[in-house]
């Protein structure tokens, strides 16, 4: 049996994080500079059902049956088995490699799930549809995120810019003219589930205040969609700035993120904001060819641990 491999990109949220959990729209794009890769190989010398998992990036080497039932990798493999109605897997080795930083808002968990689902279902002779891949990855996202909106698994499965509203059919975005963003890593690890839980607690205590802010964030995401589809990306910077203020107001920014956002703006970025769950992880800045290098240096000078430059709208 040949080996099967599949990969999936990282992602970044341009607009609408947190509000998307409460039914407002958000925009996310794939980030192909970072990837998760899964390889599935038959293991003819082992007994049926023996599934060895190797994930050297996180120091994991274990048999599937030895991992706890609520482990994300167990959940993803069992999801494929159940969907394909397979009694027992043939003996196999699953190797996972990823260049996507963990707990940084770049969708590492969803990308690993999508890569595994693609490689394993192809290995088993029944490659799954994108819809099914995304739904299975969503189930695993619940372990990572608690109450995920579903945006990560969607953008990573479809590998296209998406305009996403929870529980609605996914809409892909037509980017009229490509534009560039810088992704700056604060180096602070911040699990999304904890931040989402804090926002929920605060929303329960003061629903009107939070609903008003979510409405404003949703409007920014709507406007940004038009701006992107009509090729007016010069206005994306100010929309990012407005979105960042609203994210600060719900308490999900941090001194490190604010410092990077400020440094990017001062160095000539058209605008900047935190991206993803917040309190750490990444921020993004809208740049042009002329400002890319200055803003990159300013971000590194302000403490960014790594910068990814990504062009949105080129395939
Ligand atoms: O970029 P991440 O993986 O940190 O995603 C966070 C996005 C949230 O809106 C905060 C949560 C969600 O499930 O949409």
């Amino acid at each position: 049996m040949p080996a099967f491999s599949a990969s999936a990109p990282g992602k970044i949220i341009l607009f609408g994080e947190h509000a998307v959990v409460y039914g407002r729209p958000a925009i996310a794009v794939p980030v192909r500079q970072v990837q998760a890769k899964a390889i599935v190989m038959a293991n003819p010398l082992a007994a049926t059902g023996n599934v060895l998992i190797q994930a050297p990036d996180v120091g994991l080497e274990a048999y599937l049956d030895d991992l706890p039932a609520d482990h994300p990798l167990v959940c993803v493999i069992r999801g494929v088995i159940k969907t394909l109605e397979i009694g027992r897997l043939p003996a196999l080795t699953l190797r996972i490699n990823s260049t996507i930083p963990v707990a940084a808002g770049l969708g590492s968990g969803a990308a690993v799930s999508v890569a595994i689902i693609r490689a394993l279902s192809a290995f088993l002779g029944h490659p799954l549809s994108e819809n099914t891949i995304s739904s299975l990855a969503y189930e695993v996202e619940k372990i990572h995120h608690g109450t995920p909106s579903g945006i990560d698994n969607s953008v990573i499965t479809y590998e296209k810019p998406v305009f996403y509203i929870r529980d609605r059919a996914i809409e892909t975005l037509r980017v009229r003219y490509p534009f560039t963003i810088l992704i700056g890593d604060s180096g602070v690890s911040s699990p999304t589930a904890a931040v989402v839980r804090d926002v929920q607690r605060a929303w329960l205590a003061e629903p009107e205040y939070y609903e008003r802010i979510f409405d404003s964030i949703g409007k920014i995401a709507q406007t940004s969609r038009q701006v992107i589809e009509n090729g007016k990306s010069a206005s994306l910077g100010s929309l990012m700035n407005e979105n960042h203020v609203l994210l600060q107001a719900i308490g999900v920014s941090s001194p490190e993120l604010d410092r990077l956002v400020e440094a990017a703006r001062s160095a000539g970025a058209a605008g900047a904001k935190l991206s993803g769950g917040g309190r750490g992880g990444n921020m993004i800045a809208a740049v042009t060819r002329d400002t890319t290098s200055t803003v990159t240096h300013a971000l590194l000078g302000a403490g960014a641990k790594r910068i990814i430059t990504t062009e949105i709208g080129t395939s």
Side-chain angles (χ1 to χ4, degrees):
M1 228 177 186
F4 280 80
S5 73
S7 44
K11 73 100 213 345
I12 200 90
I13 295 180
L14 296 187
F15 296 98
E17 49 275 272
H18 287 290
V20 68
V21 176
Y22 299 82
R24 274 59 164 202
I27 294 177
V29 295
V31 177
R32 295 194 181 81
Q33 287 84 346
V34 285
Q35 295 272 334
K37 184 171 181 195
I39 305 175
V40 181
M41 294 160 283
N43 201 346
L45 300 179
T48 303
N50 254 328
V51 174
L52 177 63
I53 301 172
Q54 298 173 324
D57 302 323
V58 291
L60 175 79
E61 170 143 351
Y63 283 97
L64 177 65
D65 290 344
D66 294 337
L67 291 173
D70 60 353
H71 192 287
L73 294 176
V74 175
C75 179
V76 77
I77 294 169
R78 299 257 178 256
V80 173
I81 295 174
K82 195 163 162 222
T83 305
L84 295 179
E85 297 177 358
I86 287 172
R88 216 161 151 67
L89 285 174
L92 59 86
T93 299
L94 165 65
R95 188 169 305 144
I96 303 151
N97 290 100
S98 176
T99 56
I100 310 176
V102 176
L106 284 166
S108 131
V112 166
S113 297
V114 168
I116 293 174
I117 297 163
R118 282 200 180 125
L120 184 58
S121 62
F123 173 86
L124 295 167
H126 300 282
L128 291 167
S129 70
E130 299 205 311
N131 248 336
T132 309
I133 292 171
S134 186
S135 310
L136 282 175
Y138 178 69
E139 291 307 310
V140 188
E141 284 296 282
K142 289 183 187 164
I143 301 177
H144 289 296
H145 281 195
T147 52
S149 63
I151 192 167
D152 279 22
N153 48 287
S154 301
V155 63
I156 286 169
T157 301
Y158 291 93
E159 293 191 37
K160 294 207 168 88
V162 298
F163 179 82
Y164 182 83
I165 301 178
R166 193 172 187 160
D167 299 327
R168 290 220 201 141
I170 181 143
E171 293 179 62
T172 55
L173 277 189
R174 194 180 42 83
V175 179
R176 180 100 183 248
Y177 299 122
F179 56 94
T180 307
I181 60 165
L182 297 181
I183 304 170
D185 187 350
S186 69
V188 178
S189 157
S190 172
T192 299
V195 190
V196 168
R197 225 178 6 251
D198 286 353
V199 172
Q200 188 190 35
R201 218 172 278 140
W203 168 73
L204 285 170
E206 274 182 282
E208 283 105 41
Y209 173 78
Y210 279 81
E211 285 294 322
R212 260 201 315 276
I213 294 183
F214 294 151
D215 279 341
S216 303
I217 294 177
K219 283 195 190 113
I220 291 174
Q222 286 280 8
T223 308
S224 306
R225 175 193 195 158
Q226 286 157 13
V227 159
I228 291 169
E229 294 200 321
N230 296 329
K232 305 266 190 289
S233 49
S235 25
L236 286 177
S238 55
L239 290 162
M240 284 185 186
N241 291 342
E242 281 175 45
N243 197 161
H244 187 70
V245 171
L246 294 164
L247 289 164
Q248 286 174 317
I250 59 168
V252 300
S253 195
S254 68
E256 292 84 358
L257 286 167
D258 288 343
R259 190 164 58 240
L260 295 182
V261 163
E262 218 19 79
R265 290 176 189 155
S266 307
K273 64 182 274 294
L274 72 85
S275 175
R279 301 249 173 95
N282 281 282
M283 49 71 68
I284 54 174
V287 291
T288 60
R289 198 169 292 141
D290 291 343
T291 55
T292 300
S293 160
T294 330
V295 177
T296 300
H297 284 106
L299 284 172
L300 291 170
K305 298 295 174 280
R306 157 191 177 139
I307 309 288
I308 298 172
T309 309
T310 190
E311 184 119 333
I312 315 294
T314 48
S315 43

